[in-house]
């Protein structure tokens, strides 16, 4: 990828580039980066496939809700009707094993999980949750971090010190502990917890979304604050101050446009990180709660079936790797396009 | 010199503040979590209300929270006799010290692998720039960065314990054996956890190193070295690599500290290695406050220590860097 | 009052699968009864004459926590304590239903109470020494009983009827009025404040096992005080192993209560993942997989191989896995709604979650099979009303309509480990199928039991998973402890009647049955059967199944016996060369 960065930079040096709108330029650079475009295509494909989950599940209409247990159900494999849960053999008949992959679409393509549910449709529905959490938390995180960074960088002094110190503490806080405590507190409130006009229920996807958004705020805050500090000292800002522009105007129309590219570069990378974090929290059973499923919860459930039915955890894991890889490649491409001078920098 | 000292002192004071805030927050969150009554947990099954009241009294649970916090800190730092809420026979400090060598074994082995592999990959990619190998290596590095470690662990277990267990991996046993007991078993039990844990860092470090190498390549002194007619290899080893390793090593210091402090939780959980990360996970699921507090402090200590060492080293090398 | 938590304590690790763990799930597969089911009980045919010697090695995923017998309430330690310590009386150390019989141990006979059931006089055997050489004396029990109060958190008030106990606390205890020892005459007299038909059962538990009178009145932590049994504790480290060696002062005084053991040494090792334990035992590198460890589903298929048929034993436990229905609030304050979900619950699905019919038996009633007063009964099924054969959805839906609770919201509380989550999701599905709007509330295992057992939280859930393993074979241990009016404690975090079910008519019968227990055991037994069926009709729970338990032994182990109280009898196993 950096080789590509290299190519991009040569294109960028052409004199034609000078004087154009920087966003159009960036877009042109991104368009000429074929690997980044392929990554974008892959990511969109994954999103579309997951959004189309009900279409696949429609095929499974015979089992009703694809997320509810189907322990006593049957399916068709090799033209024969077979039970989804199969009793152990031998003399003792210990254990019940879910059916393995049939590789026939609509009939337990990837087999069943411990509750007799179709793994393929779980992976599609799980993808919706994982993607939603990843994207939403990245957006929330970036917005919150940018607002704090603008305030801290613009006002400086004590405000800056306090905000930066709070960020340091959030950064060193044990994430899993926070997730467990919040989940436990919420779970024991059946009517949800009211936060302002919002009511948050424990099983809501917004719980992991907010937790993940919170823990990565400092990660975005630091570079953006640095940007703000350097922009504040530029002449055009000083000029605006001299003209008596309001603080609000200064922040949003003078400074923000100059730091937004940093945020945009970070966005796909944060989304990727957040999808990984969601899966880790769900694996430790403090992320997504039933009846919702996510790629992380499917992998966690699949661990008990790893030896006999490895596809239960293989399939969502492959989806995570593809999605996160696509976002990382895309993130590299966006960075190279927006900020060619930093082409060789990582992180 | 004095500046460096001042810096160290400021740094340490700030560290104490961070740890204080974190422990206070953990402590109060815990006591606000419903269903978590340490007296209830200690009083056994179906205790009578009197027994509960007595246990509460005995543990000081009916005293103000800040006094309880003080008592707990005293038991961690001074008397060192903090006892688990879920097992009153268990002294927590020795338990952590028993788990520490296990985590250290895991992290040490993994770090050897990732440092060597990342240097090889990063240098190779930089040297091979312009060929197809560079982007291929970097895509591999990105795949490493994109793989959830617990899932990778499952795949490794699947391969070594099921798919190929009867053929090439029959020697692989999960579970930790102390080095002093049997170095061979220690190695056999840890080699796959090492690899699993190192993949992410190989990807990360290879990318960082490659980028640094390319950046340094254009610096004057490297050009000078080349102009002197030194071989490309000599330039790389003597000049470029050396300079680039500064970032590499400071990153390494931070990551190593975080992992030794219990950051390898997912790897430890998926492989069932009972190190500090596993202990953390166990205490969290049991909501065993004393253990949680102790592992949080333990982990924070290493993170902060690593941070401080890296900062001090920087401040020493480069007086311009004297961060707040 | 053994809740599943007794064994769940170490389970921390449970979820992340392979490694293990135990706990609860453990139980998921576990089980007990009196082994009617499987190729158990008989020892292997090659077993000719029992021989002493060798080291018997048990592999357990995790330890049993604190070792002080006054505080430990886990079957895991009890299985070892019965080999190292003895009580005044005890359960017969034999397999099958005979193992529920209480026989004299350190006392020469099981005394009948006098003074209206309030006084017991024991004659203590002489010539018995503790493993440190100190002779056993009746006054040792004063320490034993006083320690029940000065060491907090052990038993749930089993001995609180002893005269003087009400003034005891963790600060101090004086039972000299209630426990009167005459060391010269070797007699021990115990005075109770009220008669207790289960007192002999309670004396048979390790809480009341003899320890020397100079034992500390405080928690001894992980040091086990000396005992009188055939073995003694050499060491215990919860992170590595427990080692039991022969007690040099032991001699046999009762073959049935305290027989000598066969192995020279018993070692219980901690920390391996369960699937590795299974492999090692099947390879003969160790002798037993601790029966509380949950065998991963992946390994079950291996155990099905005919090759291992003589090394694997399955027994039904006298235990219930159930969902308690919150009778305080709508919709389940309505008996029709409670009956509806009982008709709708698809017990064969729950059994599959537990590992299939070979690992769990579907149940409708409170008392488990092979338990005193048990008579098979199941009103909530399609076929015959004795065994469950299938859900009756039509009837269930009709009852929901009739109760006027259609469309109500229902919160299903459970644990967040794999099995717990699956059970809760199946319950949600069953509730949805008859028109409720159900959702889950899954808590970590360490939190869930204290949470639902705390009556303060009763407005926060409608259906709560729980499980109960007998303390001793007495029907009141289920019917009174879990469903008696006296066991609802408002505003308390120790309210074992989770459903808060109270029916005054049934309570009167319970009181009568308890009072006539000693004098008219047959009549009392019939009453308990009646109470069990009446409770079942009023549906305070959805009973799911009675779990079974797997014992895995290496091929050189012989003499397997399964005791309904203690399960596997470790020191009665012998090793062939």
């Amino acid at each position: 990828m950096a080789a590509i960065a290299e190519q991009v930079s040569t294109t960028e040096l052409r004199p034609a580039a000078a004087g154009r709108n920087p966003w159009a330029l960036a877009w042109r650079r991104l368009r000429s980066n074929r690997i980044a475009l392929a990554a974008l295509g892959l990511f969109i494909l994954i999103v579309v496939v997951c959004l189309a989950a009900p279409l696949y599940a429609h095929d499974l209409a015979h089992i009703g809700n694809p997320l509810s247990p189907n322990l006593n159900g049957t399916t068709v494999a090799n033209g024969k009707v077979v039970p989804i849960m199969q009793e152990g053999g031998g003399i003792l008949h210990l254990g019940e094993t879910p059916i393995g992959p049939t590789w026939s679409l609509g009939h337990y393509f990837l087999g069943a999980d411990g509750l007799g549910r179709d793994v393929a449709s779980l992976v599609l529905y799980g993808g919706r949750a994982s993607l939603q959490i990843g994207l939403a938390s990245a957006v929330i995180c970036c917005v919150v971090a940018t607002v704090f960074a603008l305030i801290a960088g613009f006002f400086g002094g004590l405000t800056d010190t306090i905000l930066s110190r709070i960020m340091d503490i959030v950064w060193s806080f044990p994430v899993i502990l926070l997730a467990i405590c919040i989940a436990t507190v919420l779970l024991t409130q059946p009517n949800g917890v009211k936060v302002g006009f919002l009511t948050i229920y424990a099983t809501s996807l917004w719980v992991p979304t907010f937790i993940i958004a919170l823990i990565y705020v400092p990660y975005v805050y630091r570079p953006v604050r640095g940007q703000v500090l350097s922009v504040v000292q530029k002449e055009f800002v000083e000029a605006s101050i001299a003209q008596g522009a309001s603080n609000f105007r200064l922040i949003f129309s003078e400074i923000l446009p100059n730091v937004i590219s940093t945020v945009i570069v970070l966005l796909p990378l944060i989304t990727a990180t957040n999808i990984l974090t969601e899966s880790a929290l769900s694996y430790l059973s403090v992320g997504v709660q039933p009846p919702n499923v996510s790629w992380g919860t499917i992998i966690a459930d699949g661990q008990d079936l790893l030896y006999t039915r490895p596809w239960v955890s293989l399939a969502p894991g492959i989806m995570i790797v593809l999605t996160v890889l696509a976002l990382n490649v895309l993130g590299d491409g966006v960075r190279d396009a927006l900020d060619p001078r930093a082409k060789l920098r990582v992180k | 010199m004095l500046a460096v000292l001042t810096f160290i002192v400021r740094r340490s004071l700030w560290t104490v503040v961070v740890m204080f805030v974190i422990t206070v927050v953990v402590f109060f969150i815990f006591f606000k979590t419903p269903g978590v009554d340490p007296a209830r947990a200690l009083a056994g099954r179906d205790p009578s209300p009197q027994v509960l009241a007595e246990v509460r009294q005995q543990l000081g649970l009916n005293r103000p929270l800040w006094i309880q916090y003080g008592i707990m800190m005293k038991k961690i730092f001074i008397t060192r006799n903090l006892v688990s809420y879920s097992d009153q026979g268990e002294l927590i400090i020795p338990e952590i010290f028993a788990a520490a060598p296990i985590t250290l074994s895991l992290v040490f082995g993994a770090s050897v692998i990732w440092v060597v592999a990342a240097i090889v990959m990063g240098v190779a990619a930089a040297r091979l720039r312009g060929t197809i190998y560079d982007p291929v290596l970097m895509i591999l590095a990105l795949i490493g960065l994109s793989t959830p470690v617990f899932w990778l662990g499952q795949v490794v277990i699947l391969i070594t314990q099921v798919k190929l267990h009867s053929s090439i991996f029959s020697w692989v046993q999960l579970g930790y054996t102390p080095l002093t007991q049997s170095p061979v078993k220690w190695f056999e039990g840890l080699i796959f956890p090492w690899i699993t844990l190192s993949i992410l860092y190989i990807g990360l470090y290879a990318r960082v190193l490659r980028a640094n190498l390319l950046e340094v390549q254009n610096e004057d002194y490297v050009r000078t070295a080349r102009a002197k007619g030194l071989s490309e290899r000599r330039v790389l080893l003597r000049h470029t690599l050396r300079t680039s390793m500064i970032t590499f090593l400071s990153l390494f210091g931070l990551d190593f500290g975080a992992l030794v402090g219990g950051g390898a939780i997912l790897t430890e959980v998926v492989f069932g290695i009972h190190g500090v990360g596993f202990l953390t996970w166990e205490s969290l699921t049991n909501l065993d406050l004393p253990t949680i507090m102790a592992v949080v402090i333990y982990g924070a200590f290493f993170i902060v220590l690593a941070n401080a060492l890296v900062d001090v080293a920087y401040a020493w090398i480069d007086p311009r860097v004297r961060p707040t | 009052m053994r809740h599943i938590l007794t064994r769940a304590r170490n389970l921390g690790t449970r979820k992340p699968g392979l490694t293990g763990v135990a706990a609860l799930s453990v139980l998921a597969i576990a089980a007990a009864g009196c082994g009617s089911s499987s190729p158990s009980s008989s020892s292997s045919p090659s077993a000719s004459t029992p021989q002493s010697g060798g080291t018997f090695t048990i592999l357990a995923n995790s330890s049993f926590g604190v070792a002080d017998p006054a505080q430990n309430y886990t079957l895991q330690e009890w299985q070892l304590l019965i080999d190292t310590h003895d009580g005044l009386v005890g359960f017969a150390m034999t397999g099958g239903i005979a193992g529920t019989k209480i026989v004299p141990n350190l006392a020469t006979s099981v005394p009948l109470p006098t003074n209206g059931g309030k006084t017991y006089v024991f004659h203590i055997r002489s010539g018995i020494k503790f493993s440190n050489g100190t002779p056993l004396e009746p006054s040792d029990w004063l320490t034993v009983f006083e320690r029940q109060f000065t060491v907090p958190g052990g038993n749930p008030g089993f001995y609180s009827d002893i005269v003087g106990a009400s003034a005891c606390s963790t600060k101090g205890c004086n039972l000299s009025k209630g426990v009167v020892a005459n060391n010269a005459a070797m007699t021990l007299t115990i005075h109770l404040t009220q008669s207790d038909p289960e007192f002999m059962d309670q004396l048979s538990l390790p809480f009341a096992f003899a320890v020397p009178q100079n034992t500390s009145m405080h928690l001894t932590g992980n040091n086990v005080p000396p005992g009188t049994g055939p073995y003694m504790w050499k060491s215990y480290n919860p992170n590595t192993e427990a080692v039991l060696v022969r007690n040099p002062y032991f001699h046999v005084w009762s073959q049935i209560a305290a027989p000598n053991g066969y192995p020279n040494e018993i070692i219980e090792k901690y920390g391996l993942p369960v699937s590795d334990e299974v492999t090692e035992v099947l390879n003969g590198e160790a002798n037993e997989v601790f029966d509380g460890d949950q065998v991963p589903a992946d390994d079950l298929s291996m155990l099905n191989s005919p090759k291992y048929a003589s090394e694997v034993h399955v027994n039904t436990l006298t235990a219930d896995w159930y969902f308690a229905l919150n009778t305080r609030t709508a919709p389940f304050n309505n008996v029709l709604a409670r009956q509806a979900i009982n008709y709708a619950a698809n017990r064969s699905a729950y059994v599959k979650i537990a590992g299939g019919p070979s690992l769990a038996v579907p149940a409708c009633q409170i008392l488990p099979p092979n338990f005193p007063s048990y008579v098979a009964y199941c009103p909530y099924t399609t076929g015959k009303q004795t065994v469950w054969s299938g859900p009756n959805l039509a009837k269930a839906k009709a009852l929901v309509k009739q109760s006027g609770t259609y469309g109500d919201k229902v919160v299903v509380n459970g644990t967040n480990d794999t099995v717990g989550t699956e059970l809760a999701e199946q319950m949600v599905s069953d509730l949805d199928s008859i028109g409720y709007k159900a959702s889950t509330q899954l808590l970590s295992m360490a939190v869930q039991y204290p949470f639902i057992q705390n009556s303060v939280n009763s407005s926060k859930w409608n259906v709560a998973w729980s499980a109960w393993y007998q303390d001793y074979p007495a029907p009141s241990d289920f019917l009174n402890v879990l469903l008696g009016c006296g066991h609802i404690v408002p505003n308390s975090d120790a309210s074992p009647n989770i459903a808060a079910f109270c029916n005054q008519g049934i309570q009167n019968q319970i009181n009568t049955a308890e009072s006539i227990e000693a004098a008219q055991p047959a009549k009392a037994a019939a009453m308990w059967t009646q109470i069990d069926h009446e409770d079942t009709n009023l549906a305070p729970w959805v009973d799911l199944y009675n779990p079974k338990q797997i014992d895995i032994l290496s091929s050189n182990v012989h003499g397997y016996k399964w005791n309904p109280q203690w399960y596997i009898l470790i020191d009665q196993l012998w090793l062939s060369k």
Side-chain angles (χ1 to χ4, degrees), chain A residues 158-223:
Chain A
L158 191 61
T159 321
D160 183 28
T161 311
I162 291 174
L163 279 174
S164 297
R165 287 302 175 245
I166 292 177
M167 291 297 157
D168 282 357
I169 289 170
V170 172
W171 192 231
S172 16
F173 203 81
V175 178
I176 298 167
L177 174 64
L178 188 70
I180 289 181
C181 290
I182 295 182
T184 311
V185 172
L186 286 172
L187 275 166
T188 48
Q189 311 296 328
N191 299 318
V193 167
K194 288 206 172 56
V195 183
F197 55 93
L198 275 177
T199 305
I200 301 177
Y201 293 94
T203 51
S204 158
L205 292 182
W206 289 108
V207 177
T209 305
F210 284 130
I211 292 173
I212 295 168
L214 171 69
I215 60 183
Y216 287 106
V217 166
Y219 190 88
V220 180
Y221 169 87
R222 287 178 181 172

Side-chain angles (χ1 to χ4, degrees), chain A residues 67-73 85 87-97 113-115 117 183-184 186-190 201 203 282-286 289-291 300-301 303-309, chain C residues 14-19 38-39 275 297-301 303-304 306 309 312 314 346 348-350 352-353 355-359 411 416 418 421-422 425-426 429 440-443 447 451 459-461 550:
Chain A
L67 297 186
S68 68
N70 190 27
L71 290 157
N72 290 322
M85 301 300 286
E87 200 181 303
I91 297 173
L92 294 169
H93 307 289
L94 301 172
E96 294 271 342
T97 312
D113 77 344
L115 276 172
R117 302 178 293 189
T184 311
L186 286 172
L187 275 166
T188 48
Q189 311 296 328
Y201 293 94
T203 51
S282 296
Y283 173 73
L284 297 176
S285 74
V286 290
Q289 299 290 327
D301 293 345
Q303 181 143 334
D304 287 358
L305 293 164
L306 190 61
Y307 288 12
T308 41
R309 295 289 174 250
Chain C
R14 164 116 180 83
K15 160 70 170 292
L18 292 176
T19 81
S38 66
S275 70
D298 281 332
D299 290 302
L300 288 176
S301 45
L303 296 179
N304 285 330
V312 179
V314 183
N346 194 335
S348 78
Y350 298 102
K352 282 180 178 158
I353 293 169
S358 50
L359 288 175
V411 174
N416 65 1
T418 309
T421 307
E422 290 177 355
E425 293 208 54
Q426 179 64 37
S429 163
T440 53
Q441 181 183 63
L442 303 178
L443 303 174
V447 176
F451 178 82
S459 62
K460 294 178 176 171
W461 56 271
I550 306 176

